[in-house]
Amino acid sequence: MPTGSGWLSPAGSGRSLPGRGLLLLTVLVLLEGTVFRLGAASTPDVSGHDTKDHHKATAIGHNSTKKAFPVLDLDYGHIQTPFEISLWVLLASLMKLGFHLIPRLSGIVPESCLLIVVGLLVGGLIKIAGEKVPPVLDSRLFFLCLLPPIILDAGYFLPIRPFMENLGTILIFAVVGTLWNAFFIGGLLYAVCQIQTGNSSELNGLGLLPCLLFGSIISAVDPVAVLAVFEEIHINELLHILVFGESLLNDAVTVVLYHLFEEYSGVGTVTVMDGFLGIISFLVVALGGVLVGAIYGILAAFTSRFTSHTRVIEPLFVFVYSYIAYLSAEMFHLSGIMALIACGAVMRPYVEANISHKSHTTIKYFLKMWSSVSETLIFIFLGVATVDGPHFWNWTFVTVTVILCLVARVIGVVGLTYIINKFRIVKLTTKDQFIIAYGGLRGAIAFSLGFLLKEDHFPERNMFLTAIITVIFFTVFVQGMTIKPLVELLAVKKKQEAKRSINEEIHTQFLDHLLTGIEDICGHYGHHHWKDKLNRFNKKYVKKCLIAGERSKEPQLIAFYHKMEMKQAIQLVESGGGVKMPSAMPSTVSMQNIQPKKLPPPKTVERALPQLPKGREEEIRKILRSNLQRTRQRLHSYNRHTLVADPYEDGFDKFILKKQKIIELENKIKEMNNYLTVPAAPTDSPTMSRARLASDPQAFSVKPDSDSVPIIQVDLASPQSPDTVNVMDEFRRADQEENQGLMMRCPRGPSEPKKSEDTEGARDQQKLMRCLSDPGPSADEDEDEPFLP
Amino acid sequence: MGASQARTEHPYQDLMDKTGCNDMFGSKEDLASIPALDNNPLRKQIITAFFDKRNQHENQVGFFEEIGFEQFVMVMSHFRAPTLKTSEEEREVMRKEKLRFLFNMHDTDNDGTITLEEYRKVVEELLSKSGALGLEAAKAIADAAMLEVASTNVPHMAPDDFYEGITFEHFEQILKGLEMETRMHIRFLDVDTTTMRCGKTTS
């Protein structure tokens, strides 16, 4: 996946030329070695026989003559299959590495093209070596092992909001567009074959149904190819989701058409009844797939609710449930792709609320890794299968197919957009239409479907395969390579790289409620009304079941805010906590600039530190630095909030819990009689600092009772409000009263709140160090969308 | 504004005649009595916006006691969507108009800036349906948001400067990415009158 590749390129470009050359040479040598091994490996019978004979020989030998004990023995057959698989994966990964060492090439040619060329080379080499090329793009291997990771990756990180907003458009393109393509291509091909009576006899025998079958195979836009090419051109979100969504949702149509025509090709006719059944079948396939996926998604979400004690296997649930959803759907011949997408999209908001931060990182990286390897392998195998596959070149058929594919796509897109624009608010311009039409790439799914055809039913299978491969090559090479310059030329809007800011989030929410309100005033049950209803249903019932603990009540905006805080904290740690400011906020504006002057100025509290003696200051600064606190200079900035909030999740959750308790206590206090005098404790009271520092690591090293405890700001809005301080006392008392309420898993009783928090602090610090050794997820804004944002 | 009013007026004229809700527009209590609005955290602000004289684009300030049909449609005209034929300048004007509407909703004392207190109020209202935890977090979120606006618009402030509030220009700046002209709309021109009950729903 290009996120991985973007990651690698800075490293590659830094190398010197001889270094690069040497690495390339190593790669090529390894390539040769693996190729011969792969070639040799494809003749398993020979090696198998050898070992069998050898065993027999030794068996016999035992009785008759005693042979020397074999110190070193070669038994290739024993490990053959896993070894081959590993070699292929290794080859794919090395190729990916290699491409990014050649910076110019990867800019011009998309990765998919290069990989197909590599596949061609490998296939060619194997053929030259005289070995039989292994049937790598075997349909079972493809559909059961190579495709699911890519689709799961796409489904799990699907940006729900743009997808749902454009769902109507996407469905029309996917269903109506694919049907149009299939019938147009199939029908015209049949017409062409009928015309070609004199010249080539092969074309004559082509019936209508095989033509339509071929049309349905070749008409579907391929998600793998679209992903591979569109990832690199960074096009704007709308176009990306339109083409990509179409490629995902047309799977149902393809499945139904394929099965329909395949079944009846033998019989020869398709009646109206069959057509009608086909339509019903389409609904069953599509909705059934989504239902199966949603059920498994909910199961996964429910399971993740209980994983708080076994965090290590959390990612496994996500993967296994999704894969089982895919297999279950395939079992009933429902749309596996739609099941996988539904599963990922449904489970994500709940699972992410339940799992730990590290599990989230694991899931993200594993999905990206698997989908990247899968994609690479698919393209390489396409190349190999091209070299190997039984070909039957027929000029007419192939050229007509290619031309018809292009024409059908253009007509389909233009026609459908004309109709769709009548219903859309954000109309699709001509430029958009061009990109959508041009982005209709075909890929390996078409090839595998063609490969699945049985030779005896379809004597024209080889011709079909050749045509399919030609179309794939044409779209991937020609369209894939030229789409980037065309996007530049046409000045199509690109993806906005700006991070999601909290103001935008606030106003998005605000707009949602505002528009819902306006619709309610009109009495119009529009788009916003139903979305609002669904959100309320979700909050009231679903979240309670599927999300563990307190987080089920957390409103979206707050969840977003916490995520941002976490990100800021991690970023802070990564930047070393030293002199460098985080690049996100290159400004000197601080909290005190926006504080209204009428509140007691925070200055007295902030300036508390300079009153400390110099020695103490150094000590404190060192402590602060090593505990991800900022130094004094940078206490004035956005992250002041995050300083006290724990950057690691368990403590963070506890902190939120504590905050809640504080608020509840505040309310309780307010309700109690007002004659309670509130002692105004000094700001550096040990109580406050202890409570604040309690959740910090290394709290034990700072003596809680000393006066020189560094003050870390928390609540800038009311730094010296008596409420806060009073609450601290209440809080401490509450701590001691409640049994295990706020204690952080301490074996000792509540009588020693200080110490327990200290040991927890020590353990937490180690956890923190482990947490921080992982560089953490890159700022991928896609995944930050809450449920129905 | 006359042209836009004429465009939106006709469907509403038909609508009003068909559903007979001539007495819907009146005082705030009438609007407040719409049951569907109960679950909306922004209820009060939305209702106030209808009665806000600033949204009538006649350079008046203050609030109406009662509104009639023209004022209602005036407010609704802020929610039009651009068509394919809308030129770039018209889109700019539309965007400014919509942003102005939002700004007026936030700037309750009409001093031309959104102060920290007002912004806090906004966030609190948004989170008002979310229980006690919302209030604490609301303060923090509002503070952070304000800081963000200040840092993007006035990046270099000395420690003693004071940022009074978000002006309209700053407001436009931070919401640049949201493309207001396409987001802030409802499809009331395509409204099917059979499903419209003018707010007097029994749900």
Side-chain angles (χ1 to χ4, degrees):
Chain A
M1 294 312 254
T3 33
S5 55
W7 190 41
L8 285 172
S9 42
S13 49
R15 293 180 194 254
S16 61
L17 198 53
R20 243 185 268 164
L22 203 57
L23 193 53
L24 261 179
L25 199 60
T26 325
V27 168
L28 280 170
V29 165
L30 261 170
L31 181 59
E32 296 293 324
T34 54
V35 159
F36 282 118
R37 174 53 66 205
L38 286 167
S42 63
T43 52
D45 306 321
V46 180
S47 44
H49 269 294
D50 280 346
T51 43
K52 249 195 271 189
D53 292 339
H54 187 74
H55 279 301
K56 248 195 272 173
T58 43
I60 299 171
H62 259 299
N63 299 334
S64 46
T65 49
K66 189 172 168 224
K67 281 200 176 153
F69 187 76
V71 176
L72 197 59
D73 197 11
L74 181 71
D75 187 0
Y76 184 64
H78 187 55
I79 49 112
Q80 185 191 346
T81 317
F83 193 71
E84 283 177 48
I85 297 174
S86 311
L87 277 181
W88 278 114
V89 175
L90 189 63
L91 173 71
S93 316
L94 286 173
M95 283 302 106
K96 249 184 126 72
L97 269 187
F99 293 145
H100 293 283
L101 295 177
I102 318 173
R104 290 270 296 276
L105 199 59
S106 51
I108 306 171
V109 185
E111 223 173 78
S112 37
C113 304
L114 293 171
L115 290 169
I116 294 185
V117 169
V118 166
L120 288 172
L121 280 174
V122 171
L125 282 169
I126 294 181
K127 258 224 158 103
I128 292 175
E131 308 285 351
K132 178 180 167 310
V133 175
V136 278
L137 216 49
D138 173 40
S139 295
R140 280 193 64 193
L141 172 69
F142 178 77
F143 280 113
L144 295 182
C145 299
L146 291 178
L147 192 61
I150 302 179
I151 305 295
L152 180 60
D153 180 39
Y156 196 77
F157 294 114
L158 192 70
I160 297 280
R161 171 159 252 200
F163 187 74
M164 285 299 169
E165 280 176 10
N166 295 301
L167 191 61
T169 314
I170 294 176
L171 275 175
I172 291 189
F173 275 129
V175 177
V176 181
T178 312
L179 280 174
W180 157 259
N181 276 349
F183 283 103
F184 185 77
I185 295 175
L188 280 186
L189 265 178
Y190 181 63
V192 166
C193 292
Q194 294 298 73
I195 296 174
Q196 288 268 332
T197 41
N199 301 353
S200 21
S201 53
E202 306 92 27
L203 284 185
N204 234 350
L206 211 52
L208 176 62
L209 280 173
C211 277
L212 285 175
L213 177 62
F214 178 74
S216 66
I217 294 177
I218 198 84
S219 64
V221 178
D222 186 79
V224 180
V226 164
L227 260 179
V229 168
F230 269 54
E231 281 275 350
E232 296 183 11
I233 61 179
H234 298 298
I235 208 162
N236 69 49
E237 200 180 44
L238 173 68
L239 287 178
H240 186 255
I241 198 73
L242 282 179
V243 182
F244 184 58
E246 179 197 344
S247 67
L248 289 175
L249 294 186
N250 65 20
D251 182 55
V253 182
T254 312
V255 164
V256 170
L257 282 179
Y258 182 81
H259 283 298
L260 185 69
F261 291 131
E262 202 203 359
E263 288 273 327
Y264 293 114
S265 276
V267 182
T269 53
V270 176
T271 64
V272 177
M273 188 61 191
D274 295 328
F276 186 64
L277 282 176
I279 295 177
I280 298 190
S281 164
F282 164 71
L283 287 171
V284 167
V285 162
L287 295 174
V290 170
L291 191 68
V292 166
I295 291 177
Y296 278 104
I298 292 183
L299 274 177
F302 190 66
T303 313
S304 73
R305 186 183 163 178
F306 303 106
T307 55
S308 45
H309 299 289
T310 44
R311 294 271 184 209
V312 200
I313 56 173
E314 271 171 344
L316 195 63
F317 285 118
V318 171
F319 301 139
V320 171
Y321 272 112
S322 313
Y323 194 49
I324 291 185
Y326 180 75
L327 294 175
S328 309
E330 287 289 328
M331 178 167 68
F332 294 109
H333 279 305
L334 303 174
S335 169
I337 291 185
M338 290 180 93
L340 212 44
I341 302 282
C343 187
V346 164
M347 82 164 112
R348 188 173 157 211
Y350 308 110
V351 161
E352 291 212 336
N354 284 331
I355 61 177
S356 70
H357 184 71
K358 277 179 259 179
S359 297
H360 171 81
T361 311
T362 310
I363 291 179
K364 178 179 169 169
Y365 271 103
F366 260 87
L367 279 179
K368 298 284 178 203
M369 178 186 81
W370 271 331
S371 69
S372 173
V373 168
S374 256
E375 194 185 293
T376 316
L377 275 177
I378 287 178
F379 283 114
I380 292 184
F381 285 171
L382 255 180
V384 173
T386 310
V387 170
D388 165 45
H391 288 301
F392 186 84
W393 184 268
N394 182 310
W395 275 103
T396 331
F397 192 75
V398 173
T399 40
V400 168
T401 308
V402 174
I403 295 174
L404 278 181
C405 277
L406 287 173
V407 168
R409 176 88 184 150
V410 170
I411 298 179
V413 168
V414 170
L416 284 175
T417 316
Y418 179 73
I419 301 175
I420 289 172
N421 268 345
K422 295 199 194 296
F423 298 99
R424 277 181 69 92
I425 296 285
V426 182
K427 317 277 184 199
L428 295 174
T429 64
T430 321
K431 257 194 258 177
D432 294 338
Q433 292 174 38
F434 177 74
I435 297 289
I436 295 175
Y438 208 67
L441 305 172
R442 288 11 179 220
I445 291 186
F447 182 80
S448 306
L449 283 177
F451 207 78
L452 260 180
L453 293 173
K454 293 196 244 311
E455 188 89 36
D456 41 357
H457 283 179
F458 297 96
E460 317 90 0
R461 178 178 175 260
N462 296 340
M463 191 167 66
F464 284 175
L465 278 179
T466 314
I468 292 175
I469 288 194
T470 315
V471 173
I472 294 178
F473 271 46
F474 182 83
T475 54
V476 173
F477 278 91
V478 174
Q479 286 178 248
M481 275 204 266
T482 53
I483 200 168
K484 196 164 188 177
L486 272 172
V487 162
E488 303 282 336
L489 192 69
L490 290 174
V492 179
K493 244 192 312 181
K494 292 265 189 115
K495 181 154 73 155
Q496 286 165 322
E497 290 299 341
K499 276 184 180 243
R500 199 94 187 273
S501 75
I502 191 145
N503 279 297
E504 287 185 356
E505 180 69 26
I506 292 177
H507 281 97
T508 312
Q509 295 257 314
F510 192 83
L511 267 180
D512 275 343
H513 288 295
L514 173 64
L515 293 172
T516 312
I518 299 281
E519 280 189 0
D520 285 335
I521 290 183
C522 289
H524 168 49
Y525 286 165
H527 177 59
H528 291 274
H529 178 90
W530 294 116
K531 205 160 82 151
D532 189 56
K533 264 212 160 108
L534 186 61
N535 265 329
R536 267 188 283 134
F537 172 74
N538 182 33
K539 200 162 31 162
K540 211 160 148 199
Y541 301 110
V542 182
K543 273 194 181 172
K544 287 224 175 80
C545 294
L546 298 180
I547 299 185
E550 290 299 325
R551 297 203 58 180
S552 58
K553 299 204 210 77
E554 195 177 49
Q556 217 162 289
L557 187 57
I558 296 185
F560 178 81
Y561 180 63
H562 287 326
K563 264 207 190 121
M564 275 193 82
E565 283 187 327
M566 191 98 107
K567 271 208 179 122
Q568 285 276 350
I570 291 182
Q571 208 180 18
L572 159 67
V573 169
E574 280 174 21
S575 69
V579 194
K580 212 169 25 110
M581 284 255 250
S583 52
M585 290 281 167
S587 71
T588 53
V589 180
S590 70
M591 283 309 295
Q592 86 191 103
N593 291 108
I594 67 176
Q595 287 304 318
K597 290 233 165 59
K598 49 181 179 303
L599 281 186
K603 289 196 177 185
T604 43
V605 188
E606 292 160 13
R607 299 285 175 255
L609 283 173
Q611 290 161 11
L612 299 167
K614 269 293 178 189
R616 273 288 181 199
E617 215 179 85
E618 260 317 300
E619 201 183 298
I620 291 164
R621 204 178 286 170
K622 221 172 38 159
I623 293 171
L624 289 181
R625 212 178 290 145
S626 63
N627 292 320
L628 33 122
Q629 312 284 348
R630 287 193 190 175
T631 58
R632 181 166 49 109
Q633 293 96 297
R634 287 163 50 251
L635 278 174
H636 312 308
S637 70
Y638 176 86
N639 288 330
R640 202 184 296 241
H641 300 285
T642 63
L643 279 184
V644 190
D646 293 328
Y648 49 95
E649 66 280 351
D650 293 325
F652 200 70
D653 285 345
K654 296 288 188 296
F655 184 69
I656 305 298
L657 218 62
K658 276 190 192 165
K659 259 190 180 169
Q660 267 182 304
K661 296 279 177 187
I662 293 173
I663 293 154
E664 280 166 18
L665 284 170
E666 262 189 54
N667 292 337
K668 246 196 281 174
I669 292 166
K670 285 197 181 90
E671 282 164 14
M672 290 198 294
N673 305 44
N674 294 331
Y675 54 73
L676 271 181
T677 48
V678 173
T683 47
D684 49 353
S685 85
T687 324
M688 189 160 151
S689 50
R690 198 187 314 132
R692 293 289 181 260
L693 285 176
S695 41
D696 295 338
Q698 270 197 11
F700 57 85
S701 69
V702 179
K703 298 195 205 66
D705 286 307
S706 78
D707 284 332
S708 58
V709 161
I711 315 298
I712 314 297
Q713 280 303 85
V714 175
D715 195 2
L716 297 159
S718 46
Q720 287 179 345
S721 75
D723 279 1
T724 329
V725 178
N726 181 42
V727 161
M728 281 307 106
D729 287 323
E730 283 288 314
F731 177 74
R732 189 160 53 107
R733 255 177 274 141
D735 255 349
Q736 290 163 344
E737 284 162 10
E738 297 179 51
N739 257 329
Q740 290 295 320
L742 296 166
M743 291 307 117
M744 301 194 215
R745 295 187 225 114
C746 77
R748 283 165 280 189
S751 52
E752 291 174 276
K754 261 186 286 173
K755 283 248 191 75
S756 65
E757 285 160 351
D758 292 345
T759 43
E760 184 59 34
R763 263 183 277 143
D764 281 338
Q765 208 225 349
Q766 268 132 39
K767 251 197 286 178
L768 182 63
M769 289 303 140
R770 257 182 283 138
C771 164
L772 299 173
S773 58
D774 176 350
S778 56
D780 235 349
E781 294 304 325
D782 306 354
E783 3 151 345
D784 276 344
E785 307 246 326
F787 183 83
L788 283 191
Chain B
M1 280 305 143
S4 64
Q5 233 179 319
R7 240 189 295 159
T8 56
E9 204 165 30
H10 284 291
Y12 267 108
Q13 207 56 54
D14 296 333
L15 165 70
M16 272 179 61
D17 296 334
K18 277 188 198 157
T19 57
C21 52
N22 286 310
D23 54 346
M24 177 201 165
F25 318 106
S27 57
K28 281 194 181 173
E29 286 70 37
D30 286 342
L31 273 183
S33 64
I34 298 173
L37 273 185
D38 283 342
N39 287 312
N40 200 319
L42 295 181
R43 193 162 162 262
K44 269 196 337 232
Q45 273 105 322
I46 298 177
I47 296 176
T48 317
F50 275 93
F51 291 86
D52 193 340
K53 281 192 185 164
R54 288 175 292 176
N55 288 329
Q56 300 296 325
H57 294 275
E58 285 166 7
N59 289 325
Q60 291 182 346
V61 285
F63 294 92
F64 289 112
E65 281 303 318
E66 278 198 358
I67 58 168
F69 180 62
E70 293 89 39
Q71 283 91 13
F72 181 79
V73 171
M74 211 39 213
V75 171
M76 294 301 269
S77 73
H78 288 97
F79 293 93
R80 279 173 301 151
T83 63
L84 263 180
K85 301 198 188 64
T86 333
S87 68
E88 201 45 54
E89 306 91 52
E90 284 177 13
R91 273 175 189 257
E92 266 305 312
V93 169
M94 254 188 159
R95 193 183 309 151
K96 259 194 150 67
E97 214 178 85
K98 294 178 197 250
L99 283 174
R100 189 84 224 175
F101 185 82
L102 283 182
F103 191 80
N104 287 341
M105 279 185 85
H106 295 328
D107 183 19
T108 43
D109 59 1
N110 197 28
D111 60 353
T113 58
I114 305 177
T115 59
L116 186 60
E117 277 309 314
E118 288 170 344
Y119 211 16
R120 263 192 209 149
K121 199 110 210 343
V122 170
V123 180
E124 268 171 29
E125 288 293 322
L126 260 185
L127 295 174
S128 59
K129 302 263 172 207
S130 323
L133 180 56
L135 291 171
E136 266 308 302
K139 266 196 229 155
I141 292 174
D143 289 345
M146 196 74 174
L147 190 63
E148 205 178 68
V149 179
S151 1
T152 33
N153 284 304
V154 196
H156 298 288
M157 291 179 82
D160 288 333
D161 286 349
F162 179 56
Y163 181 70
E164 275 95 23
I166 310 178
T167 60
F168 186 57
E169 287 74 34
H170 296 174
F171 192 66
E172 272 184 295
Q173 182 67 22
I174 54 169
L175 291 185
K176 217 169 34 171
L178 277 185
E179 284 192 7
M180 236 7 117
E181 70 269 17
T182 44
R183 269 201 185 219
M184 188 167 141
H185 68 84
I186 66 169
R187 297 165 179 255
F188 56 84
L189 283 181
D190 306 331
V191 156
D192 174 17
T193 51
T194 52
T195 60
M196 284 194 57
R197 284 170 280 273
C198 240
K200 290 200 177 96
T201 57
T202 48
S203 59

